[in-house]
Amino acid sequence: MEQEYHIPVLLKESVDGLAIKPNGIYVDLTFGGGGHSREILSRLDDGKLIVFDQDADAYANRPDDDRLIFVRHNFRYLTHFLRYIGVEKVDGILGDLGVSSHHFNEADRGFSFRFDGKLDMRMSQQLQKTAADVVNTYDESELKRLFWQYGEIKQSGKLAGQIVKRRSANLFETTTDLKEVAENCGPKKEQSKFLAQVFQALRIEVNQEMDVLKAVLNASVDAIAVGGRLSVISYHSLEDRLVKNFIRSGSCDKANAEQDIYGQTNVPFKAVNRKIIVPTDEEIEVNGRARSAKLRIAERV
């Protein structure tokens, strides 16, 4: 079932990066189809794996394994649930920040412009705000901001204006409604790329993905034991920039670490891979969604 649900990206590289101890305690922040989790479990003896996923479909896909603890919540609550479970420190955290193939292939989830479905994009159905709510209620300046900030769309002003104009006559309900407007705002030669940027920006806004990533990176400082590992796979420049800054400086918002009056830095992690790890051509050929993946690994010091 897992292979149908989602093909894990950079599977060996990301799990190797955790330097698994057979009796260690590990966290998979995004269970999804369970590919990375199953690989971690295969390397454990009496260790434990704590997995997070707020999606009901992911929970239904979980393996029956006494070593696995499934937390049906967003991973932004990492600190809270580790405390609740009674775990003081873990030996490693893995985060695959991509949306699962399963979500992209389910039309009614609204993640893909390839299908006509509800304009939803919620990772969890418990969230109140959908992508339709965003495009139907945000003012023009807010829409421009999110398309520029989260989609890095040069035509964000034009797109925001066209959305506001369209919704004054008919509210947005489906992915096709949005696609029809967006197609007229971006470059014709790169229409698929432009649509992907539009949908990405809305998905990030709906799920507060940047805020969630910042929260869990900051929480990892206290959660990971000295010598433990952080292994993160990102899929767009916004995510990767946050991860890179965090590893380098201990801050998601600063590219370089600050020095004290003695010229010393106090950075909680050190990079394990100085050069970013990307999928091989062979992996990309098998799984096209791996194309934009970037893996960074760091060790708690």
Side-chain angles (χ1 to χ4, degrees), residues 72-83:
R72 292 186 65 180
H73 288 274
N74 191 291
F75 59 74
R76 75 186 308 164
Y77 304 113
L78 172 69
T79 300
H80 170 82
F81 280 100
L82 289 182
R83 193 175 296 139

Side-chain angles (χ1 to χ4, degrees), residues 2 25 28 33 100 111 115 133 143-144 151 165 189 194 211 227 255 270:
E2 182 269 320
I25 302 174
D28 184 349
S100 75
F111 287 103
F115 308 108
D133 294 327
L143 289 171
K144 180 180 178 181
K165 180 179 178 181
K189 292 183 179 180
F194 180 77
D211 290 338
K270 67 175 181 180

